[in-house]
Amino acid sequence: MTMLAHPLKRLTVALSLPTLLAACALQPTLPPTAQRLNGSQIGLQVNADAPAHMAPSNWWTELNAPELNALMQRALSEAPSLAQARARIQRAQASIENAESSERAAVGLSLDAARQRFPEHSIYPPPLAGTLRNTATLQASASYEWDFFGRHQAELNAALGSAQAARADAAAAQLMLSSQLARSYVQLARVLAQRELLARQSAEREQALALVRQRSQAGLDTAQDLRAAELPLPELRRQALQLEEQADLLRHQLAALSAQPMAALKDLKPALPAALPLAGEGALGLDLLGRRPDVVAARWRVDAATAQVSSARAQFYPNISLGAFVGFNAIGFNNLLKSGSLQYGVAPSLRLPLFDSGRLRAQLRGSAAEADAAVAAYNGALLEAVRDASDQLRSLRSLQEQKTEQAAAQAHVQAALELARQRHSAGLGNRLAVLNASQSLLQQQRQALDLQAQTLDAQLQLLRSLGGGWTEAKP
């Protein structure tokens, strides 16, 4: 073994220098890669005040709706989409373990046994030739590949980036699920509240129709007045059927999101929660980039794709490894563990692909293209995140202005109703005028209810667009 070491070492050194030069010459020149957008390019400010308070990760509890909390808990534990996300995390973790194994020596143990006939016309001399014998090999082996050119480290970095992206994707899926469930819950509460107001409208229209019939029979109103009093009722009944359908569909959606049978929530009747205590309308800051899990996932995919480019580049350099084995080989099982059956050896190797029909060049160009695609996807996710949050802020501002105008209109209608009641009490007006004024007030109340639900929905979407209180865990 000592006599062989020096020739092997000299051979390795002699081969390494020309192959390194050849590897450098083989690498193609890649075009400049795409550049990631930064916060200043899309208007994000460094020290901007947050447009909403920093919500906790379980932000839905601030709605003070125990039924929603129960639905959310079941959805986050049972939803198939989140189970898929968790499986992708486990797969990514397995890739990390596989990449880490390349940094360690591989050790194996084998035992082979056979009964074979040694042919006369072969390399085996008498008395083996022409006989049937037992053969056995017991051997331990070890091999190690040096990562002189960073290929293993690049593969590990790519696996780590993919795993972090999978975790961020899981957080994004959870945020989307919780947002959809909370918004559906709010919409169901809105529909049920609208149905109650609609029932009051229908009841008062029925009363108004009865009064018009009496006046028509007494000759005080015409047939045209009677037809006008009858006209709103079919439309109100149509709206009632529409609201009933919407309520059932929303219950079905909530059941699907929380992984339950469609009929499980047929008796769910939530009340519309109050608006969330969101504060401020400040400009979007750079912290948005770290609070949106979809943006963070896209950033990690860029890092993983960049590491894949480094790994593909390292394929052009030599692969240097060392193998060794020790064990026993014998003819006849009784001779296997005797000292004369001992065998051992060492096998250093250096490999460099010189002519591979362009496979490595194509692989490197493909990896570079994947990196460019990842950068483009990151830029797209970043632009979409800023647009999404900006839209929700704009919608909230508009809804606040609409609520102010609607409150003023409702106040006027309320005053008109009070006046109609006073005139009716004083004998100066009839009951029909009071009912008509009450109809206008109910219509304004329905508009106010819609604005309240739209405001809460916009707040929920703003929380989602700002990351829902998610923070990235350190790798």
Side-chain angles (χ1 to χ4, degrees), residues 81-217:
S81 60
L82 298 188
Q84 291 178 354
R86 289 190 289 268
R88 285 192 289 268
I89 292 176
Q90 294 175 355
R91 182 179 61 188
Q93 187 62 40
S95 298
I96 292 177
E97 296 173 0
N98 181 59
E100 288 176 337
S101 66
S102 299
E103 296 290 335
R104 298 187 291 266
V107 179
L109 179 66
S110 63
L111 173 63
D112 300 309
R115 183 168 179 80
Q116 68 179 84
R117 182 182 184 279
F118 292 88
E120 293 89 345
H121 306 293
S122 184
I123 62 174
Y124 305 102
L128 292 178
T131 62
L132 189 64
R133 302 291 182 99
N134 296 322
T135 61
T137 301
L138 176 63
Q139 182 170 284
S141 61
S143 62
Y144 181 76
E145 182 178 332
W146 278 276
D147 191 26
F148 287 119
F149 307 104
R151 179 168 63 88
H152 294 163
Q153 184 61 47
E155 292 173 350
L156 178 59
N157 291 340
L160 289 170
S162 297
Q164 288 297 108
R167 294 187 182 96
D169 282 335
Q174 178 173 320
L175 178 59
M176 184 60 67
L177 174 65
S178 59
S179 175
Q180 289 177 344
L181 196 148
R183 293 180 63 198
S184 297
Y185 183 89
V186 168
Q187 287 302 315
L188 177 59
R190 181 195 69 82
V191 167
L192 295 179
Q194 283 282 7
R195 196 166 64 177
E196 291 180 3
L197 291 175
L198 185 63
R200 289 175 56 187
Q201 274 189 292
S202 298
E204 290 189 357
R205 283 293 183 187
E206 291 285 356
Q207 295 178 30
L209 177 60
L211 286 175
V212 172
R213 281 200 182 106
Q214 293 175 6
R215 290 173 59 84
S216 178
Q217 292 171 358

Side-chain angles (χ1 to χ4, degrees), residues 310-321:
S310 299
S311 176
R313 194 188 305 275
Q315 298 286 346
F316 288 87
Y317 292 103
N319 183 355
I320 302 173
S321 62

Side-chain angles (χ1 to χ4, degrees), residues 311-361:
S311 176
R313 194 188 305 275
Q315 298 286 346
F316 288 87
Y317 292 103
N319 183 355
I320 302 173
S321 62
L322 176 66
F325 65 91
V326 60
F328 298 92
N329 181 271
I331 298 176
F333 295 155
N334 58 323
N335 297 322
L336 180 61
L337 299 180
K338 294 181 178 180
S339 60
S341 301
L342 179 65
Q343 65 175 8
Y344 55 87
V346 62
S349 65
L350 185 148
R351 295 182 176 87
L352 175 69
L354 295 178
F355 305 101
D356 62 348
S357 301
R359 179 181 61 85
L360 291 182
R361 294 185 185 87

Side-chain angles (χ1 to χ4, degrees), residues 148-421:
F148 287 119
F149 307 104
R151 179 168 63 88
H152 294 163
Q153 184 61 47
E155 292 173 350
L156 178 59
N157 291 340
L160 289 170
S162 297
Q164 288 297 108
R167 294 187 182 96
D169 282 335
Q174 178 173 320
L175 178 59
M176 184 60 67
L177 174 65
S178 59
S179 175
Q180 289 177 344
L181 196 148
R183 293 180 63 198
S184 297
Y185 183 89
V186 168
Q187 287 302 315
L188 177 59
R190 181 195 69 82
V191 167
L192 295 179
Q194 283 282 7
R195 196 166 64 177
E196 291 180 3
L197 291 175
L198 185 63
R200 289 175 56 187
Q201 274 189 292
S202 298
E204 290 189 357
R205 283 293 183 187
E206 291 285 356
Q207 295 178 30
L209 177 60
L211 286 175
V212 172
R213 281 200 182 106
Q214 293 175 6
R215 290 173 59 84
S216 178
Q217 292 171 358
L220 300 176
D221 284 336
T222 65
Q224 184 177 359
D225 294 328
L226 181 60
R227 293 292 176 266
E230 293 173 342
L231 182 61
L233 287 171
E235 173 61 20
L236 292 176
R237 288 193 291 267
R238 185 198 68 79
Q239 293 181 23
L241 292 172
Q242 184 182 45
L243 290 175
E244 183 178 358
E245 178 198 12
Q246 291 178 8
D248 288 341
L249 294 180
L250 287 167
R251 289 191 181 99
H252 292 171
Q253 185 175 20
L254 288 170
L257 290 172
S258 57
Q260 299 185 69
M262 293 297 101
L265 303 179
K266 60 183 179 61
D267 297 324
L268 180 63
K269 296 180 179 179
L272 188 63
L276 292 171
L278 302 186
E281 297 182 356
L284 296 175
L286 287 174
D287 57 343
L288 177 67
L289 305 185
R291 285 192 279 150
R292 289 266 307 209
D294 55 339
V295 174
V296 172
R299 187 194 71 207
W300 277 111
R301 277 191 282 270
V302 171
D303 293 345
T306 303
Q308 287 289 2
V309 174
S310 299
S311 176
R313 194 188 305 275
Q315 298 286 346
F316 288 87
Y317 292 103
N319 183 355
I320 302 173
S321 62
L322 176 66
F325 65 91
V326 60
F328 298 92
N329 181 271
I331 298 176
F333 295 155
N334 58 323
N335 297 322
L336 180 61
L337 299 180
K338 294 181 178 180
S339 60
S341 301
L342 179 65
Q343 65 175 8
Y344 55 87
V346 62
S349 65
L350 185 148
R351 295 182 176 87
L352 175 69
L354 295 178
F355 305 101
D356 62 348
S357 301
R359 179 181 61 85
L360 291 182
R361 294 185 185 87
Q363 181 176 310
L364 179 57
R365 285 194 294 269
S367 298
E370 288 291 338
D372 287 345
V375 170
Y378 171 80
N379 292 340
L382 185 55
L383 291 170
E384 175 61 22
V386 175
R387 182 210 60 80
D388 187 13
S390 300
D391 285 354
Q392 306 314 322
L393 287 172
R394 181 64 185 91
S395 295
L396 278 175
R397 286 194 293 270
S398 176
L399 286 168
Q400 291 299 327
E401 295 168 356
Q402 293 179 51
K403 287 170 69 176
T404 300
E405 297 298 331
Q406 189 278 326
Q410 184 170 333
H412 291 307
V413 173
Q414 182 71 48
L417 175 60
E418 293 299 326
L419 181 59
R421 286 172 176 168

